[in-house]
Amino acid sequence: MKSLKLSKLSLAIVLGLAMTTGVSAQDDQSEDNDNEGEATEESADLGNIEVTARRRTESLRDVPISVTAITGEGLQDQGAQDITYLNQVVPNTTLEVSRGTSNTLTAFIRGIGQQDPVAGFEAGVGIYIDDVYLNRPQAAVLDIYDVQRVEVLRGPQGTLYGRNTIGGAVKYVTRRLGRQPSASVRASVGSYSQADLVVKGETPIGETLAVGGAVATFNRDGFGDNLTLGTENYNKEVMAARASLEWTPSYDLFVRLAGDYYKDDSNPVGGHRLIPGLFSGAPVLDDVYDTRGGITGENETEQQGLSLLVEYDINPSWLFKSITAWRADDTINQIDFEALPPVDLDVATIYENEQFSQEFQLNYSGQNVTGVAGLYYLDANAFGPFDVRLYQTGELIGAPQLNAFTLGDVDTETWSAFADVSFDLAGMFDLETGLELSLGGRYTSDKRSSRVLRQTMLGASSFFGGDPVILETTSDFDGSDTFNEFTPRASLAWQPSDQHNLYVSWSQGFKGGSFDPRGLTTAAPDFDGDGVVSEDEVFEFMRFEPETVDTYEIGAKSSFADGRVNTSLAFFYSDYTNIQVPGSIGVDNNGDGIADTFAGVTTNAGAATVKGVELEMNALLGRNMAAQGDALTTMLTLGYIDAEYDEFITSVTNPATGETALEDVSDQRVFQNTPDWTGHWNLRYDTPMDLFGNDGMFSIIGAWSYRGETNQFEIPSQFLDQEAYSLYDLHLVWKRSDGRYEIGLHGRNLGDEQYKTSGYVFATPDGSASTLGLEGVMNAFYGAPRTVTLTGTINF
């Protein structure tokens, strides 16, 4: 197995280098024919994207970090609707809509992330809007509009971005306002009655002020139906808006006040049962987008945010920056776990999140030294009650609904100090080739205070309009702890020429510790064997510690053939320790042999090794081939990852004796949401074309995306795990030469592939018995089927 993985890795490297060499040679042969048309050459230039991955503006090639950057125009040309599109194009990255939701994000990069959105579990990938960290994943499936670019930073970013960027970071960067009045209208219609509208505008006010904003609405019928309720499943009904006020009173001061709003009124998303009902015998449905869940109730998400950016150029070398932000969101979510009409495992949830953050940065740019230092503070609360409405048995039949109620109330107060400095050793020591040493570190104090209340009751809780009868309180925990971490980084980059940057780096990251939001304090063990479960033992049972990673990376970023071929190749090795693994198990409280509630079991399972390779390439294959001014370009991304647990400690019950003991089951566990292979290849042909008497450029973009076999959880499942699959897209885009009109026809998933993105399981691995509820839960959620969208844009 090891040799097979190594051969695959070698194949990926050889393929990337071979394609790079071949393209370079082709362009060298055709260079003599490309002496006409400066405008044509400019339109076909691959360009050089500037990014802020190191908290300062730099060329993408100069950054010794694995970064994928896609411009807003590039995303629009590819028909991207939200940031989950990056799932198709960024190597070793998973960005998907979380199970049972329409806007909560599940993010994994290089095998590290988090898919449980409950308050108390921390993210493994940081999501940022204009350098403002989103503390919770609700409403983080950001729609693509009014965006300048999106950056995906792979690998731990603990020094510059802090806690919970242990896997990486995704930066959504909006566009600053221009100095001329402008407006645009973009409308889209398509499959499943899609009807989207985005209206943007901006204008200067006097010499120093500018105001702008965008309003968007995204609507679509469901991909399937809820056959019980007669409603649509996987529909979309979203309204969003952004506005900003920019003030530039002098050349050295810039102030930006920005606000955004988001409202999602989509229906509850029901899962597709993969096994028949174990109690009712209900058959598996033919259409994977249909469901039969009977849960009803309000289902919506509302989010709003404000941010204030101040930039002051103290002098040509020093820049001070302040980022102040407030964000809040409220979600009511209805999830029918067993996806059948009776109440068997129906969950109503509330997520209320609020955060305030303040960051100060001091940037320095000298002749041979550049760097940034700063302070960061976050005060956040995540509040989440949820009802778990269970089946009725015995004397409870006909009584108010049995409810396994859980409430989590988590306060986070964290502060950190950081610095990152780069030294131009070539300039300092008069070397002939470029050599840069970067050193950085961040100290973080992360305090978590958590209330966990678990009760068994009859009837809906007061949060959902009920007046319940409380039968038992199984957890009433209130505790806090502070986790202190220092996360350094170092890199050495050698530039033998302006076209090449070779680097080695080491970086650390951590995900914050917390307390199990589903834990049962009554299930806490007697650790010291004295016959009494003390408060300290309950505390240790509920708490889980931070997880950490050390990543070593070797990379090369190069440009060949006068900028016609750009490549980025990176090898990485990660030592991943103290891994947090949240899970749930059914608990039988009344001894009838059927689980009547569930308990959270979150452990720092042990350790793992993650290693892999990533290749990204953009190439101009030719110009002026079939017509004067045409161009053929291609983009390739390829990722391979080998992630294996070295240690995974869990409790195992001997079925013969009933005794439970801790065992290492690392050989039986796999990494979730981490396919071994990810790939994307597109081919783009641009040619001048007149349309209705208007000069313009017509583009044909064909794309193929591939993801290898994906496990939804650490325990492999013959039902839920997704086998390898490919997606095929085709985009036809025409733009008038002056940019006034744009038309696009976008076909996505043209092969109509049915692929699982997430799921729930409360059943034995073979699906023959339930571990919670009567019917058993083995449900999957799927990505979008084949769709076609027609988009038109008018720019004023």
Side-chain angles (χ1 to χ4, degrees), residues 299-320:
N299 194 84
E300 69 172 21
T301 296
E302 188 172 21
Q303 182 189 68
Q304 50 274 323
L306 291 171
S307 65
L308 177 66
L309 169 67
V310 179
E311 292 181 345
Y312 176 58
D313 287 296
I314 302 172
N315 57 45
S317 297
W318 292 93
L319 169 67
F320 170 79

Side-chain angles (χ1 to χ4, degrees), residues 425-436:
L425 301 182
M428 296 172 68
F429 300 104
D430 197 25
L431 304 178
E432 293 185 0
T433 58
L435 189 64
E436 180 193 78

Side-chain angles (χ1 to χ4, degrees), residues 12 143 225 276 569 682 750:
D143 289 291
D225 296 301
L569 181 65
N682 73 41
L750 294 178

